[in-house]
Amino acid sequence: MENDGTKHQLSRRGFLGVGSAALAVAAGTMAVSGGMAQETQRSTDRSATDPGPTNTPLSAQNPDSAWPPATDSKSTIPTFKYPFSFANKRTYEGGWSREVTVRELPVSHSMAGVNMRLTAGGVRELHWHTANEWAIVLYGSARITGIDRDGKSFVADVKQNDLWFFPSGIPHSIQGLGPDGTEFMLVFDEGDFSESDTVLLSDSMAHLPPEVLSKNFGVAELALKNLPKQELFIFQTAVPGALAADQKTAAGALGKSPTDFAFRTMEMPPTKRTKSGEVRIVDSSTFKASNIAMALVTVHPGGLRELHWHPNADEWQYYIVGKGRMTVVSTGNRARTMDFQAGDVGYVEKTLLHYIENTGETDLVFLEMFKSSFYQDLSLSEWLTHTPPELVMAHLNIDRATLDAIPRDEQVIVPR
Ligand code: MN
Ligand code: MN
């Protein structure tokens, strides 16, 4: 609390000529904030202060939540951000995993993300899911295996920025390669998906009567006595040998699968490039095996992923590098701005208008993911410039020169 002496001093010294209402506000603010005589003399509005306890580093990372832009609505919309740093790691010898699902981020009802690290030789054990699995390699390299619907084998090595896609029910594995294994982001097209809700080889064997397994495989029960009694999930083993040898032995007489479950993102040119950044769009038109669509976006410092929306699907985001902010304009006169940095998940519901601005000093790189076999967006600029001009000018109260200056084609990343 402010002491009377200071208040009295202020009144004497600084407020001659200031209206009595302003003086009353200043005195009231002083009573709660205290010890800020110099600042109070400069401004009588003390509303933009926060004298209470603050998690300073977290507030500094979220300036648009701490002090939202005036354009945000007062009636807010639920959070559309969840940092993977808040997610609990499942740790094993051989690696770890952590997930952000609809439990952590309630708005993310159509997709979920699992972040996983495997050491060199570390294995995500043979398994399959009820959901489709899409993935991007964030670090290092890995060997992935699967079989297609005809039982034909698929074995491939993937490196940073490469993708894979395993449809629901298709069994697969992932193993870290040398020198330092891998880290990757898995995206599943069910919001309530969980990595712990998968069909694992070890689990399955542990829950089948030994005599049934013996009859099924045509081998003696004794030969199966060392089968794992509980799930492996992730475990450490040796780094595998040459890829060609693994491919040949796995294929056997049936031959290799004609389906490529992997996609080499950097071998394709950017779908769109401007002076402010670039985007690579990969959907089923280029990555035939996949029915999840991706845009890998790079925005240079000062650039903006232009105002747009997606008519066909929700957008699940993962921030890979840098810092940015996004405003989502929702229905019912509501809008909210949130800040993002490497490691955060973001989410935009289908049809809602949004932009992503690079607010950092380095490139901003992030993923836009869609539960759809095709990518689709609409640009606000493109819409306004392909509508009768008089109609647009009457709405926005702008002159013809201003309307004419708006880009007529979708830029994706601006300034051009
Ligand atoms: Mn999987
Ligand atoms: Mn978008």
Side-chain angles (χ1 to χ4, degrees):
M1 297 292 279
E2 191 51 52
N3 65 64
D4 284 352
T6 307
K7 222 191 289 181
H8 179 68
Q9 195 181 24
L10 262 178
S11 307
R12 252 188 314 136
R13 235 178 27 190
F15 288 95
L16 294 173
V18 175
S20 61
L23 192 59
V25 168
T29 309
M30 288 304 295
V32 291
S33 62
M36 312 282 275
Q38 293 300 320
E39 268 185 56
T40 309
Q41 277 181 286
R42 284 196 293 271
S43 167
T44 53
D45 182 2
R46 300 289 298 151
S47 48
T49 52
D50 182 2
T54 298
N55 183 331
T56 306
L58 211 48
S59 289
Q61 287 178 7
N62 298 277
D64 289 292
S65 293
W67 303 107
T71 42
D72 275 16
S73 59
K74 293 203 186 328
S75 149
T76 192
I77 57 179
T79 183
F80 44 83
K81 162 180 170 168
Y82 195 93
F84 259 100
S85 296
F86 289 177
N88 195 45
K89 281 195 182 98
R90 298 172 69 172
T91 59
Y92 298 84
E93 188 188 348
W96 51 256
S97 79
R98 53 184 177 176
E99 62 189 19
V100 173
T101 74
V102 74
R103 290 183 307 276
E104 289 77 24
L105 183 60
V107 71
S108 65
H109 43 79
S110 80
M111 304 186 109
V114 175
N115 178 206
M116 193 174 288
R117 163 85 170 125
L118 296 172
T119 59
V123 177
R124 169 68 176 93
E125 79 157 292
L126 287 157
H127 68 284
W128 65 88
H129 312 277
T130 54
N132 293 313
E133 170 179 319
W134 180 99
I136 185 167
V137 180
L138 301 170
Y139 169 81
S141 58
R143 179 159 305 170
I144 54 177
T145 78
I147 59 168
D148 68 14
R149 297 196 192 284
D150 298 320
K152 292 184 173 178
S153 167
F154 167 80
V155 184
D157 288 352
V158 287
K159 60 185 182 307
Q160 190 174 357
N161 291 320
D162 286 353
L163 316 180
W164 72 76
F165 182 84
F166 290 117
S168 62
I170 291 295
H172 55 278
S173 68
I174 309 148
Q175 184 171 19
L177 298 176
D180 188 33
T182 185
E183 185 169 339
F184 48 91
M185 179 58 60
L186 301 163
V187 181
F188 295 91
D189 59 357
E190 289 173 8
D192 59 1
F193 175 84
S194 170
E195 255 303 82
S196 45
D197 293 337
T198 59
V199 182
L200 302 177
L201 177 62
S202 57
D203 245 358
S204 305
M205 296 304 101
H207 293 102
L208 289 163
E211 66 277 15
V212 170
L213 285 176
S214 166
K215 194 182 287 180
N216 184 74
F217 292 137
V219 298
E221 258 184 68
L222 195 62
L224 302 171
K225 69 180 189 332
N226 292 327
L227 286 177
K229 299 287 184 285
Q230 56 193 17
E231 69 164 39
L232 298 167
F233 194 75
I234 290 172
F235 65 97
Q236 184 67 50
T237 185
V239 174
L243 174 64
D246 261 5
Q247 286 174 327
K248 188 162 184 275
T249 48
L254 210 51
K256 290 180 191 174
S257 173
T259 303
D260 192 352
F261 291 99
F263 186 86
R264 286 92 193 156
T265 311
M266 291 315 188
E267 287 177 14
M268 71 176 254
T271 312
K272 179 90 182 175
R273 177 186 273 157
T274 69
K275 77 167 194 211
S276 296
E278 63 184 40
V279 59
R280 281 182 173 78
I281 294 170
V282 179
D283 63 15
S284 63
S285 66
T286 43
F287 185 7
K288 310 283 183 208
S290 173
N291 57 25
I292 290 179
M294 171 197 84
L296 175 62
V297 184
T298 299
V299 184
H300 301 320
L304 181 77
R305 168 75 176 93
E306 70 168 317
L307 278 159
H308 68 282
W309 67 98
H310 307 275
N312 64 328
D314 289 4
E315 172 176 339
W316 187 96
Q317 301 171 334
Y318 179 66
Y319 289 81
I320 299 174
V321 178
K323 289 164 67 175
R325 69 168 181 169
M326 173 166 72
T327 299
V328 174
V329 180
S330 189
T331 56
N333 199 21
R334 293 176 304 154
R336 180 170 181 179
T337 306
M338 299 191 82
D339 303 284
F340 295 85
Q341 60 184 352
D344 290 346
V345 173
Y347 200 87
V348 186
E349 289 177 281
K350 186 166 87 169
T351 80
L352 299 187
L353 182 66
H354 57 286
Y355 68 84
I356 298 102
E357 182 181 28
N358 185 338
T359 52
E361 312 281 301
T362 66
D363 275 0
L364 170 68
V365 181
F366 65 96
L367 290 174
E368 303 178 4
M369 302 300 311
F370 305 90
K371 181 179 179 170
S372 170
S373 60
F374 60 94
Y375 177 88
Q376 190 175 67
D377 68 3
L378 285 171
S379 146
L380 182 70
S381 294
E382 199 170 32
W383 175 44
L384 296 181
T385 54
H386 293 86
T387 297
E390 289 71 22
L391 185 62
V392 175
M393 290 187 289
H395 277 80
L396 300 182
N397 203 22
I398 57 174
D399 63 21
R400 186 61 193 247
T402 304
L403 181 57
D404 286 348
I406 296 176
R408 303 192 71 79
D409 305 315
E410 179 170 23
Q411 299 302 312
V412 186
I413 323 278
V414 293
R416 285 182 273 185

